[in-house]
Amino acid sequence: METIQSTVEQPKKKTLPIIGGIGFTFFIALIGWGLAMLPGFQKLGPMALAIILAIVYRQIWEYPISISTGIQFSAKILLRMAIVLYGLRLNIQLIIQDGLGLIAIDGFVILFAIGVTMFISKRMKADPSISLLVGIGTGVCGAAAIAAVSPILKSKDEDTAISVGLIALIGTIFALLYSFLFPLLPIDDQSYGIWSGISLHELAHVALAAGAAGQDALAVGLLAKLGRVFLLIPLSFILIYLEKRKGVNNEKTKIAFPWFLIGFVVMSVLGSYIRAYNPMKLQNLLDPIANVSSFLLTMAMVGLGLNIHLQQVRKKALKPLATLIITSFLLSIITVFIAEIV
């Protein structure tokens, strides 16, 4: 009887800490979403607020070791689930119909952002892991891109969290700066929308900036941005190939295939099909599921943020921050001329 009882209680002992850790990240993420609805905090967005709360909490208090398993579950498993669901946001059919002309520009933006970031980071002797992540985040789609490639690059949770925080901060500042500059620039609404879509970091940043010029500018801005999200797929497989090439010279390096990317692709195709044909009125579910994916991603960012010790990373983050600012500034200048030509 004792043996049977111990085997029954053992799964409970393992399950409860996981639930507790997930619940803890859920609670902080919920606070972040609540703050994002208040005046003055709306510009930052729930993800940035939640990760800031998590980082601040970790500097003041220690969370119980017993719930660390659940926190790691949020940081890793929920992160992959969120990326899979994030694929529903991508309307491939819309990109093929109206956005093919922007794909080449989006490809240039990604190469420029990553290339310039790595070039500057080498000159400044910045941390290469964080610099690569912020370069990818700048070029593609912010935190979602960083979350997608960090398992491929085997980035430390700490580096991933720092990169997401930097992107959220600088992306928000640039989005607000765009909104302020729009009335002062000799550029029409559509060109401004394209400029926002091909240069800003997150979908939320594009929506914030392009929305200042009206619905038409917002539509074309989001279309341009979705092209960059679409290119996350080939970029991820290129990174897998490059990492495996490194592994040829290093037998200890093993790259586990990121199956969640297949889920991302499948969801992208499924979402595009639903938008085109709306079988059983499933299109009504896309927005709620998108909100769920955003909340799961926020919980994952909380899990990552709870692993950050500011005293240890302060020096590590300053140079990548400077690199990110310079790259974002150069990207904005170049793309504003491209947007006018398009």
Side-chain angles (χ1 to χ4, degrees):
M1 290 294 292
E2 291 181 2
T3 305
I4 295 174
Q5 187 176 3
S6 63
T7 56
V8 172
E9 289 179 353
Q10 191 173 7
K12 290 183 179 179
K13 291 180 180 179
K14 290 182 178 180
T15 303
L16 288 176
I18 293 178
I19 295 174
I22 294 172
F24 191 64
T25 60
F26 176 89
F27 180 70
I28 296 179
L30 193 62
I31 295 175
W33 274 65
L35 285 175
M37 297 178 184
L38 299 176
F41 292 100
Q42 294 174 342
K43 304 296 185 182
L44 283 175
M47 193 180 302
L49 289 168
I51 198 170
I52 290 170
L53 286 172
I55 293 171
V56 170
Y57 178 92
R58 184 58 192 271
Q59 310 320 303
I60 301 174
W61 301 286
E62 288 284 340
Y63 59 80
I65 297 177
S66 60
I67 66 171
S68 61
T69 305
I71 290 173
Q72 296 307 315
F73 181 90
S74 292
K76 297 182 183 299
I77 305 301
L78 290 187
L79 182 63
R80 287 157 176 77
M81 290 173 60
I83 294 299
V84 170
L85 292 177
Y86 195 84
L88 288 171
R89 297 170 180 259
L90 182 58
N91 190 341
I92 297 175
Q93 186 177 13
L94 184 62
I95 294 171
I96 294 173
Q97 287 178 349
D98 303 317
L100 281 180
L102 293 173
I103 289 290
I105 297 173
D106 289 332
F108 165 77
V109 166
I110 293 172
L111 292 174
F112 179 88
I114 296 174
V116 171
T117 299
M118 296 311 296
F119 176 79
I120 296 174
S121 69
K122 285 183 179 180
R123 299 295 180 187
M124 297 182 68
K125 296 182 180 179
D127 183 274
S129 175
I130 298 176
S131 297
L132 179 56
L133 289 174
V134 297
I136 292 171
T138 301
V140 187
C141 53
I146 293 172
V149 303
S150 57
I152 299 171
L153 300 173
K154 292 189 174 181
S155 303
K156 298 178 181 177
D157 289 350
E158 184 179 84
D159 293 349
T160 304
I162 293 170
S163 303
V164 168
L166 294 179
I167 284 288
L169 173 63
I170 300 305
T172 302
I173 291 173
F174 269 75
L176 294 173
L177 184 62
Y178 276 35
S179 302
F180 174 77
L181 289 176
F182 170 59
L184 307 176
L185 294 173
I187 187 172
D188 59 40
D189 293 357
Q190 182 169 342
S191 297
Y192 172 75
I194 293 173
W195 180 43
S196 301
I198 63 177
S199 62
L200 288 174
H201 308 70
E202 300 261 8
L203 275 167
H205 298 149
V206 175
L208 172 61
Q215 291 301 311
D216 291 341
L218 176 59
V220 72
L222 292 176
L223 177 62
K225 183 62 178 177
L226 285 176
R228 292 161 67 189
V229 177
F230 174 77
L231 292 176
L232 173 62
I233 299 170
L235 175 64
S236 297
F237 286 108
I238 290 171
L239 291 175
I240 293 171
Y241 171 76
L242 293 176
E243 288 297 307
K244 285 186 175 180
R245 283 290 300 271
K246 288 182 183 178
V248 172
N249 299 320
N250 183 2
E251 293 181 358
K252 295 181 180 179
T253 303
K254 293 183 179 179
I255 307 298
F257 187 82
W259 291 103
F260 66 92
L261 283 179
I262 300 298
F264 176 85
V265 175
V266 171
M267 285 297 177
S268 299
V269 174
L270 178 61
S272 302
Y273 174 80
I274 291 173
R275 286 186 178 89
Y277 301 102
N278 195 20
M280 296 181 289
K281 297 183 179 180
L282 291 176
Q283 191 168 349
N284 296 331
L285 298 176
L286 291 182
D287 286 341
I289 293 175
N291 291 331
V292 170
S293 70
S294 295
F295 192 81
L296 289 177
L297 191 56
T298 304
M299 288 177 63
M301 294 303 109
V302 170
L304 293 172
L306 288 171
N307 291 321
I308 289 184
H309 296 278
L310 286 180
Q311 292 181 350
Q312 297 176 7
V313 304
R314 190 179 302 163
K315 294 181 180 179
K316 200 174 182 181
L318 288 178
K319 289 182 179 179
L321 173 61
T323 301
L324 174 58
I325 293 172
I326 295 170
T327 301
S328 299
F329 181 73
L330 293 175
L331 184 62
S332 296
I333 292 176
I334 291 174
T335 51
V336 72
F337 292 108
I338 295 175
E340 285 190 281
I341 295 172
V342 175

